[in-house]
């Protein structure tokens, strides 16, 4: 029993880790962090191995949450650096709006961000996103539409304010 469980876990790791790590790499823009996130997602899957029905979905949702935590940590660090820098400067620099899609996706509310990450970044079909998030397909489609509209507005606003 233990041997077959270990074999199944090893096969799952071999099949899914490279793609999961690559997906994380596109989100965090750093190889080391991407591998840490992907490894942590597998560690959490292994801890719940017997209770997880859909390992692939569990991995991607867990990785999306870990990426979100990483983005939050980076933002806290950026704010701390800005605060320290502006306190030392005579005149604080004006902040430029950053139109990068990754930062815009990061700013979305979680109910819109997770479907965007799963559908567009992990290439999961709407049906699978629906199952993983526990939402109806129509709700996922509406959330994806709402997220695209928010991203479009934010991107347009960011580009309009660029010198």
């Amino acid at each position: 029993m233990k041997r077959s469980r270990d074999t199944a876990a090893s096969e799952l790791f071999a099949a899914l880790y490279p793609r999961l790590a690559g997906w994380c790499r596109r989100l965090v823009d750093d190889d080391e962090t991407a591998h840490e996130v992907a490894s942590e997602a597998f560690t959490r899957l292994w801890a719940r191995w017997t209770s997880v029905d859909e390992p692939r979905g569990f991995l991607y949702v867990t990785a999306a949450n870990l990426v979100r935590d990483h983005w939050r940590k980076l933002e806290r660090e950026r704010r701390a650096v800005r605060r320290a820098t502006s306190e030392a400067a005579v005149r604080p620099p004006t902040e430029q709006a950053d139109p990068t899609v990754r930062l815009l996706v990061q700013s979305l509310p979680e109910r819109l961000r997770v479907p965007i990450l799963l559908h567009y970044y992990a290439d999961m079909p709407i049906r699978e996103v629906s199952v993983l998030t526990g939402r109806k397909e129509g709700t996922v489609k509406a959330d994806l539409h709402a997220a695209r509209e928010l991203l479009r507005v934010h991107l347009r606003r960011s580009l309009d304010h660029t010198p």
Side-chain angles (χ1 to χ4, degrees):
M1 171 78 172
K2 171 114 172 86
R3 185 162 159 52
S4 65
R5 184 178 141 194
D6 289 348
T7 302
S10 294
E11 289 172 357
L12 184 72
F13 183 85
L16 297 181
Y17 184 84
R19 189 164 182 197
L20 179 67
W23 179 70
C24 291
R25 170 69 173 85
R26 288 193 312 247
L27 295 174
V28 298
D29 201 28
D30 176 66
D31 284 335
E32 186 177 334
T33 303
H35 285 286
E36 287 175 13
V37 168
S39 296
E40 178 63 21
F42 270 96
T43 299
R44 291 182 184 190
L45 172 64
W46 183 247
R48 295 164 185 79
W49 184 252
T50 57
S51 64
V52 174
D53 294 330
E54 180 52 53
R56 180 175 181 257
F58 179 90
L59 288 168
Y60 276 90
V61 169
T62 300
N65 289 333
L66 292 168
V67 165
R68 179 201 61 221
D69 293 345
H70 170 75
W71 285 343
R72 285 181 177 164
K73 179 184 175 207
L74 287 179
E75 185 53 34
R76 284 192 305 272
E77 290 170 357
R78 282 188 204 112
R79 279 196 306 265
V81 168
R82 277 196 302 263
R83 226 179 0 261
T85 305
S86 67
E87 289 170 3
V90 175
R91 185 173 143 256
T94 58
E95 287 189 39
Q96 296 287 333
D98 190 342
T100 64
V101 173
R102 182 169 47 122
L103 291 175
L104 293 174
V105 169
Q106 175 186 348
S107 72
L108 290 172
E110 184 171 357
R111 83 174 169 82
L112 301 178
R113 184 178 55 248
V114 170
I116 286 284
L117 291 174
L118 295 175
H119 183 65
Y120 290 107
Y121 287 84
D123 296 322
M124 291 186 184
I126 289 173
R127 174 174 289 132
E128 193 168 348
V129 174
S130 168
V131 169
L132 294 174
T133 59
R135 300 179 191 150
K136 294 181 180 177
E137 285 185 41
T139 303
V140 170
K141 289 177 184 178
D143 287 347
L144 288 170
H145 175 75
R148 286 191 305 267
E149 287 303 310
L150 276 174
L151 292 171
R152 185 176 295 119
V153 166
H154 289 302
L155 187 58
R156 188 172 292 134
R157 188 177 306 135
S158 294
L159 293 175
D160 288 346
H161 288 72
T162 305

